[in-house]
Amino acid sequence: MFKKENSGSCAAIVGANWGDEGKGRMVDLLAADYDVVVRYQGGGNAGHTVVNDYGTFALHLLPSGIFNDGVLNILGNGVALNAEQLFTEIDTIAQQGVSVSPENLVVSERASLLLPWHWELDTLEEMRLADKQYGSTRQGIAPFYSDKFQKKTILAGELRDPERLRQHVADLLEWKNLTLTKVYGAPEAKLDDVMEWIDTWAMRLVPYLADTADVLSQAKKDGKRILFEAQLGALRDIDFGIHPFTTSSNTIAAYAPVGAGLPSLQLDRVTAVVKAYSTCVGAGPFTCEWFGEKADKLRDAGGEYGATTGRPRRVGPLDLVATRYGIQMQGATEIALTKMDVLSDMDEIPVCIAYDTPSGKTESFPFPAELDAAKPVEIKLPGWKSDISGCRTWDELPEQARAYVEFIEESIGCHIRYVSVGAQREAYIVR
């Protein structure tokens, strides 16, 4: 087990790239060293695959610390709170022996509810865009955050007053039906249907609701260690990602205290997760993308299929240009390198070290509109051609595998502290 972090420390685990880096695996691993684990942004549009003693899980909304006894898990105000998805997830993992109750899960009363009309609008808009789609998972995320910034959402705390809640829903529905019917030609949403959904799913939230500012403030005073868990990666951030092919929230570590509920908290550790090769789910520029047989081989070796959608991830070699940028945006203090074992069959391992652009060769990540014209500049490093999944110390790794890690570390300018060599919880190396 890891050396205990300083009492009262605040840390974040975030993605350096397009998401799908293996953050859930790292949170599940590190959560045992923390007292509180917080999801601070995003919704059920992405998943974290976790493998532990209970089994294999694809989490979408639940913090990955939910598997650790004694850990308090929090869904912050920055989360897109789909109650149906959350409780379906809770009911599913309960069948495998994982208990979730108000004792180990708290939901911010300031979190906004993602309602059925959000995922309907998401689907309708992607259909309207046709071949210009953004690659939405159709979980209602973009319409939800749009409504949030228009101040037209229901806060979870409103569930405590059903009479007032019904009137608020009716007011929103009058406005929302204008979009459904006039813009998309879809049928009106009915108040009774929406309220039935709220009664069935959202009302189950009430025992879990709390002021997370108070919860986190008390945890900090008590010297508790707090871990913030992000969804997706830096290149999907609404402000700093590959616009417009981003998510609709801030995926960067700097947003963690805000989306958790206590903006005054300060991070003292940021672990950015980087996969040993590149993967991407969804549309948008992906400069180092592979196609054909070599892509299929890497995808199958790594099991690269979305935890939420099941759709094949786009794959390619490690992109150091994008990774350096992601680490800068995340303010990373250390790196967790995942899925090293997937590369074990390769004679040579390609790495993207720069981009060729109309303006010339660059090692800096371009402005989003310029990415389509960028081409990868690759080099090849020697492979290690041996099974490393049983390695548990740095010296046990083959020389070529150590050289690969050291090359990445030097290229990105950030210490690689963890090297993951398998899906199992214990399959990692600490440097």
Side-chain angles (χ1 to χ4, degrees), residues 177-254:
N177 275 331
L178 292 174
T179 305
L180 286 168
T181 61
K182 303 297 184 184
V183 175
Y184 294 107
E188 284 190 351
K190 303 297 184 183
L191 178 59
D192 286 344
D193 293 340
V194 177
M195 292 308 302
E196 181 180 358
W197 182 90
I198 288 174
D199 290 340
T200 301
W201 295 106
M203 283 301 176
R204 291 179 64 180
L205 289 166
V206 173
Y208 296 85
L209 298 180
D211 183 339
T212 55
D214 286 345
V215 174
L216 290 167
S217 180
Q218 189 61 52
K220 187 68 175 173
K221 289 177 183 177
D222 292 343
K224 302 292 188 182
R225 297 173 298 274
I226 303 170
L227 183 64
F228 300 96
E229 176 184 11
Q231 177 209 59
L232 298 170
L235 301 180
R236 297 298 190 188
D237 185 89
I238 184 66
D239 289 309
F240 301 105
I242 50 173
H243 181 85
F245 302 99
T246 68
T247 193
S248 299
S249 61
N250 290 106
T251 62
I252 57 173

Side-chain angles (χ1 to χ4, degrees), residues 42-44 60-62 75 79-92 105 107-108 111-116 118-119 139 141 144 154-156 159 165 194-209:
H60 307 284
L61 275 170
L62 282 171
L75 292 177
V79 170
L81 187 57
N82 180 340
E84 180 175 354
Q85 193 169 38
L86 175 63
F87 285 106
T88 298
E89 195 167 302
I90 288 172
D91 295 342
T92 298
L105 177 66
V107 177
S108 172
S112 290
L113 300 181
L114 190 150
L115 295 169
H118 290 126
W119 62 74
Q139 298 293 316
I141 303 301
F144 166 85
I154 303 292
L155 299 184
L159 295 167
L165 171 68
V194 177
M195 292 308 302
E196 181 180 358
W197 182 90
I198 288 174
D199 290 340
T200 301
W201 295 106
M203 283 301 176
R204 291 179 64 180
L205 289 166
V206 173
Y208 296 85
L209 298 180

Side-chain angles (χ1 to χ4, degrees), residues 102-375:
E103 297 299 312
N104 65 349
L105 177 66
V106 167
V107 177
S108 172
E109 63 189 8
R110 289 182 175 269
S112 290
L113 300 181
L114 190 150
L115 295 169
W117 61 60
H118 290 126
W119 62 74
E120 182 177 0
L121 285 167
D122 203 354
T123 299
L124 290 168
E125 177 60 11
E126 285 286 278
M127 292 171 62
R128 187 193 68 82
L129 288 168
D131 60 351
K132 296 181 180 180
Q133 294 181 16
Y134 293 154
S136 169
T137 58
R138 305 192 181 193
Q139 298 293 316
I141 303 301
F144 166 85
Y145 280 108
S146 175
D147 284 2
K148 181 174 179 176
F149 281 96
Q150 292 187 78
K151 288 107 40 201
K152 293 185 181 294
T153 55
I154 303 292
L155 299 184
E158 295 181 59
L159 295 167
R160 299 184 181 116
D161 186 347
E163 186 174 341
R164 184 181 183 280
L165 171 68
R166 184 179 180 89
Q167 185 56 55
H168 192 182
V169 173
D171 292 343
L172 291 180
L173 196 57
E174 182 180 357
W175 164 75
K176 186 57 67 177
N177 275 331
L178 292 174
T179 305
L180 286 168
T181 61
K182 303 297 184 184
V183 175
Y184 294 107
E188 284 190 351
K190 303 297 184 183
L191 178 59
D192 286 344
D193 293 340
V194 177
M195 292 308 302
E196 181 180 358
W197 182 90
I198 288 174
D199 290 340
T200 301
W201 295 106
M203 283 301 176
R204 291 179 64 180
L205 289 166
V206 173
Y208 296 85
L209 298 180
D211 183 339
T212 55
D214 286 345
V215 174
L216 290 167
S217 180
Q218 189 61 52
K220 187 68 175 173
K221 289 177 183 177
D222 292 343
K224 302 292 188 182
R225 297 173 298 274
I226 303 170
L227 183 64
F228 300 96
E229 176 184 11
Q231 177 209 59
L232 298 170
L235 301 180
R236 297 298 190 188
D237 185 89
I238 184 66
D239 289 309
F240 301 105
I242 50 173
H243 181 85
F245 302 99
T246 68
T247 193
S248 299
S249 61
N250 290 106
T251 62
I252 57 173
Y255 184 72
V258 177
L262 189 59
S264 59
L265 288 174
Q266 296 183 350
L267 297 175
D268 45 44
R269 180 186 180 195
V270 177
T271 303
V273 185
V274 177
K275 196 174 283 185
Y277 51 96
S278 294
T279 59
C280 175
V281 169
F286 185 38
T287 302
C288 63
E289 184 170 9
W290 280 355
F291 299 94
E293 183 178 348
K294 65 178 180 179
D296 292 338
K297 186 175 180 180
L298 179 58
R299 184 180 297 113
D300 289 341
E304 297 299 346
Y305 300 88
T308 294
T309 62
R311 61 187 175 184
R313 294 185 180 122
R314 301 157 70 187
V315 299
L318 179 64
D319 186 334
L320 294 177
V321 179
T323 300
R324 271 192 301 269
Y325 173 77
I327 289 169
Q328 179 188 33
M329 293 299 101
Q330 295 288 16
T333 60
E334 62 186 20
I335 303 299
L337 187 67
T338 61
K339 289 202 168 184
M340 271 280 289
D341 54 304
V342 174
L343 304 179
S344 294
D345 288 337
M346 290 187 174
D347 294 315
E348 295 181 311
I349 301 175
V351 179
C352 174
I353 60 169
Y355 292 169
D356 268 334
T357 72
S359 302
K361 184 178 176 181
T362 181
E363 294 182 357
S364 298
F365 196 68
F367 182 72
E370 299 170 359
L371 281 167
D372 283 337
K375 304 297 181 186

Side-chain angles (χ1 to χ4, degrees), residues 28-64:
D28 179 55
L29 184 66
L30 300 182
D33 200 36
Y34 287 85
D35 305 296
V36 182
V37 177
V38 189
R39 265 289 301 274
Y40 63 86
Q41 52 78 224
N45 54 316
H48 290 161
T49 300
V50 175
V51 181
N52 57 32
D53 293 341
Y54 290 102
T56 299
F57 302 88
L59 299 183
H60 307 284
L61 275 170
L62 282 171
S64 300

